[in-house]
Amino acid sequence: MARKSFASSADLGEKVRTLEVLADGVYALTAEGDPNIGAVEGEDFLVCFEALATPVAAREWLAELRKYTDKPVRYLVLSHYHAVRVLGASAFDAEVIVAHENTRALVAERGKQDWESEFGRMPRLAKGADSVPGLTWPTLTFSDRLTIDLGGDRGDLVLEYCGRGHTEGDLVAWLPRQKILFAGDLVEAEAALYTGDAFHREWATSTLDRVQAFGAEQLIGGRGAVSSGQDAVNAAIEQTRHFLDVMIREVGAAQQAGGTLKDAFTRTHAALVDRYGHWPIFEHCLPFDVSRLWDELSGIERPVIWTAARDRAVWDQLQD
């Protein structure tokens, strides 16, 4: 059997991008399992959600958005710290870059290592990598909730922290009037989860419970298509929860049986592959997912920092 290419290093084909107008002045760009991105119009400004991996990639998104609006970007909201979500920030010329306070701390603690790690794992997303001027630093942070008045009759955009999940600093963006939720990587719609920096048990329970409690009628997850209608929204949330629950069950069983990390990976892969194996980045993510969950269930509270060297070591250890 041929050895699997490292992470997404062999995934070099361009993805079809789809820009959807979800409501008046509410936009989402999806791309066949690549990171999603969005924007919300205020009366005389824009709030953009996520920044992509490089300024070159971000400018391509902005060129699409500018077909609909020429309002300046006042706020750039970052759902969490991962490089492919934040390093394109300079292209937006935003007045304010908003993130959770934990995200700012994570940039300081591990942002440089994550940059090198993620660009090595997903080189196709790092289009124009030399255009990144440096780490992206939030200029406004909050702990629980931050409300942005969109002006006129546009209502509010509510940024909220639902608890630890995909990272310890994930936030969501909620439009209560339109019942639209930008969930970041706390929810994926028919795309595999990356959990290498996660808090699996909290994510699968209280954090997703809070996400579901919004009662969204449209949800834009971190990857995958927009979920439209409450049934589709709930299905995306429950798919995310199921993926986590199966991982927790299988890795926990391997540990209880006195198995190894490789045993845990084999069990987890077998339990998930039939349902999720055809979804984007499944094979890429799972070795890193299992490694983090193994640590978490072993009592290592916070994720070990991923580096390019550690990525390769874990990958090699868990592949046949």
Side-chain angles (χ1 to χ4, degrees):
M1 182 181 295
R3 188 174 181 82
K4 295 173 186 173
S5 299
F6 172 68
S8 291
S9 61
D11 180 10
L12 301 176
E14 288 296 315
K15 307 299 182 184
V16 175
R17 299 184 299 174
T18 302
L19 193 154
E20 297 179 57
V21 182
L22 305 181
D24 180 29
V26 183
Y27 309 95
L29 187 78
T30 61
E32 296 187 301
D34 274 0
N36 294 338
I37 193 166
V40 177
E41 288 190 48
E43 185 177 23
D44 57 1
F45 63 90
L46 279 172
V47 182
C48 287
F49 189 76
E50 310 287 40
L52 297 177
T54 68
V56 167
R59 288 187 194 105
E60 292 180 355
W61 148 241
L62 287 168
E64 293 296 316
L65 183 61
R66 290 308 180 200
K67 296 175 183 178
Y68 296 85
T69 175
D70 61 0
K71 295 174 182 176
V73 180
R74 181 175 297 173
Y75 299 96
L76 174 60
V77 177
L78 305 176
S79 69
H80 62 287
Y81 77 98
H82 283 152
V84 296
R85 303 289 182 180
V86 306
L87 291 180
S90 62
F92 292 80
D93 293 322
E95 293 180 29
V96 182
I97 300 175
V98 187
H100 190 265
E101 61 188 15
N102 290 348
T103 290
R104 195 182 199 288
L106 288 163
V107 171
E109 179 188 46
R110 58 185 70 199
K112 185 65 168 64
Q113 296 95 322
D114 184 72
W115 178 355
E116 295 170 354
S117 166
E118 293 215 333
F119 279 26
R121 294 180 186 182
M122 295 174 278
R124 180 177 49 78
L125 298 184
K127 181 182 294 185
D130 59 356
S131 66
V132 179
L135 293 173
T136 297
W137 293 98
T139 59
L140 174 64
T141 62
F142 66 96
S143 59
D144 297 312
R145 177 182 291 187
L146 177 70
T147 299
I148 296 172
D149 180 355
L150 296 172
D153 61 355
R154 291 185 173 271
D156 292 333
L157 177 67
V158 180
L159 308 181
E160 190 160 325
Y161 180 64
C162 295
R164 299 185 302 182
H166 173 71
T167 72
E168 58 190 307
D170 301 277
L171 62 81
V172 302
W174 169 236
L175 288 161
R177 180 172 297 182
Q178 299 89 340
K179 296 190 179 300
I180 296 173
L181 184 69
F182 291 88
D185 278 324
L186 286 175
V187 179
E188 310 289 13
E190 298 194 3
L193 275 63
Y194 175 67
T195 74
D197 297 298
F199 296 80
H200 295 76
R201 292 169 292 190
E202 190 171 333
W203 185 1
T205 53
S206 58
T207 298
L208 282 179
D209 289 346
R210 288 185 64 179
V211 171
Q212 195 154 28
F214 284 102
E217 295 179 0
Q218 294 186 84
L219 182 147
I220 306 90
R223 295 174 184 264
V226 175
S227 300
S228 296
Q230 285 196 338
D231 287 347
V233 169
N234 288 334
I237 293 170
E238 290 311 312
Q239 171 250 300
T240 301
R241 196 190 306 269
H242 180 261
F243 195 106
L244 293 165
D245 284 343
V246 171
M247 287 184 59
I248 293 166
R249 182 190 73 210
E250 296 299 330
V251 174
Q255 288 190 344
Q256 290 169 12
T260 64
L261 177 61
K262 179 65 182 293
D263 295 331
F265 175 76
T266 301
R267 288 185 63 123
T268 305
H269 188 281
L272 291 170
V273 68
D274 287 348
R275 179 167 175 178
Y276 302 109
H278 63 288
W279 286 1
I281 67 171
F282 175 81
E283 297 292 350
H284 166 160
C285 291
L286 201 62
F288 309 118
D289 294 354
V290 171
S291 178
R292 164 55 190 155
L293 181 52
W294 180 274
D295 285 351
E296 184 179 359
L297 297 181
S298 301
I300 298 174
E301 174 67 11
R302 299 187 67 244
V304 177
I305 295 174
W306 291 102
T307 65
R310 181 170 178 243
D311 288 351
R312 292 281 183 172
V314 167
W315 183 269
D316 290 344
Q317 180 182 0
L318 297 184
Q319 300 304 325
D320 293 326

